[in-house]
Amino acid sequence: MGALRLLAAALLCAAGKPSAPIVKWAQGAQKLFLTVLLPDVEKPEVSLTSKSLSVKGVSRGKDYEVDLKFLRPINETASSYSTKTWAIVFDITKERKEPCWKRLTKGKKQPAFLKKDIEKMDYNTCQNMKEQWRETYFKAKMNGEDLFAKRRTQDEPAAEKDNKDPVRDEKQTRWKAMVQSYRDKAIRRPDATKKDKKGKKK
């Protein structure tokens, strides 16, 4: 009897949970093209930031909701969207012009509702940008420059700010202090490079 009640409660929760709509996406070197399929959508709620996209709405009497975390930052102020009869269409500008992304979202396993929009894919600009980056990389390499180090230096401050964890930082501080205390207590070995002059023949 208890198992049946739990099953019924689970079914009710599943019934009340919004479904994820089909999201078609394509890209170019500096653009993302998203189509969220929601026919006759009512009162759509859209939130677009530099890192994510959230869409909620009622389509033909059914609740839908989708949340996407982008693989890389986008420029939300230079992006736009419009509500059509069959869908909400997004024209999103990437933060920088670059070769095409390997995937849309951060997770390596892409959700089932996410589909490639082959018709809108701009393969030419992607390939051209890939060749430009490759040429720039090899030129920098010949001049002894490290482009990846520069990019890491630019991205590190923002990454450090986002990943700041007081508990983790405190643990690291304690660990370093403990290691240092053990080092201070350790008995130093005699320097093996110094020779005993007494045993040396004249």
Side-chain angles (χ1 to χ4, degrees):
M1 192 72 178
L4 289 174
R5 287 180 180 176
L6 288 173
L7 180 60
L11 290 173
L12 286 172
C13 289
K17 186 178 180 181
S19 301
I22 296 296
V23 179
K24 298 173 70 176
W25 77 284
Q27 64 176 318
Q30 200 170 9
K31 285 285 186 178
L32 292 173
F33 307 104
L34 272 66
T35 304
V36 183
L37 299 178
L38 289 172
D40 303 320
V41 63
E42 300 174 12
K43 299 178 180 179
E45 297 178 22
V46 177
S47 175
L48 181 63
T49 71
S50 62
K51 296 180 180 181
S52 65
L53 169 65
S54 175
V55 178
K56 296 180 183 179
V58 179
S59 175
R60 295 179 177 177
K62 189 175 180 180
D63 291 331
Y64 287 90
E65 182 178 350
V66 63
D67 291 293
L68 300 172
K69 294 188 184 300
F70 297 126
L71 179 65
R72 296 196 185 96
I74 60 102
N75 185 344
E76 70 269 28
T77 57
S79 303
S80 62
Y81 71 91
S82 58
T83 304
K84 308 291 185 182
T85 304
W86 286 92
I88 302 176
V89 181
F90 293 84
D91 186 328
I92 298 173
T93 302
K94 295 179 181 178
E95 190 177 60
R96 55 180 162 229
K97 203 172 183 180
E98 58 189 352
C100 280
W101 298 358
K102 291 184 178 180
R103 53 187 183 274
L104 178 64
T105 59
K106 282 191 172 183
K108 289 185 179 180
K109 187 178 180 181
Q110 299 294 275
F113 62 79
L114 208 54
K115 311 290 183 183
K116 277 281 188 72
D117 194 343
I118 305 299
E119 294 181 358
K120 290 186 178 181
M121 280 293 295
D122 190 354
Y123 292 105
N124 290 332
T125 59
C126 288
Q127 185 61 32
N128 291 339
M129 187 52 56
K130 186 177 181 180
E131 291 172 1
Q132 287 181 32
W133 273 45
R134 188 178 296 166
E135 184 180 352
T136 303
Y137 170 76
F138 283 116
K139 282 183 179 180
K141 199 76 173 176
M142 290 175 66
N143 294 329
E145 299 177 11
D146 188 348
L147 294 178
F148 293 105
K150 288 181 180 179
R151 184 170 177 178
R152 282 195 300 271
T153 303
Q154 292 173 354
D155 295 342
E156 273 173 6
E160 287 177 1
K161 186 177 180 181
D162 292 341
N163 297 327
K164 194 172 182 181
D165 186 345
V167 176
R168 183 190 61 196
D169 293 343
E170 185 179 354
K171 287 182 179 179
Q172 288 179 350
T173 303
R174 289 179 181 177
W175 172 255
K176 289 178 181 178
M178 185 175 67
V179 171
Q180 187 60 47
S181 67
Y182 282 131
R183 285 177 177 170
D184 294 339
K185 294 175 183 178
I187 300 173
R188 294 186 179 180
R189 294 183 179 181
D191 193 346
T193 59
K194 292 182 180 180
K195 295 181 179 180
D196 187 357
K197 294 183 180 180
K198 294 180 180 180
K200 188 177 180 181
K201 294 182 179 179
K202 293 183 179 181

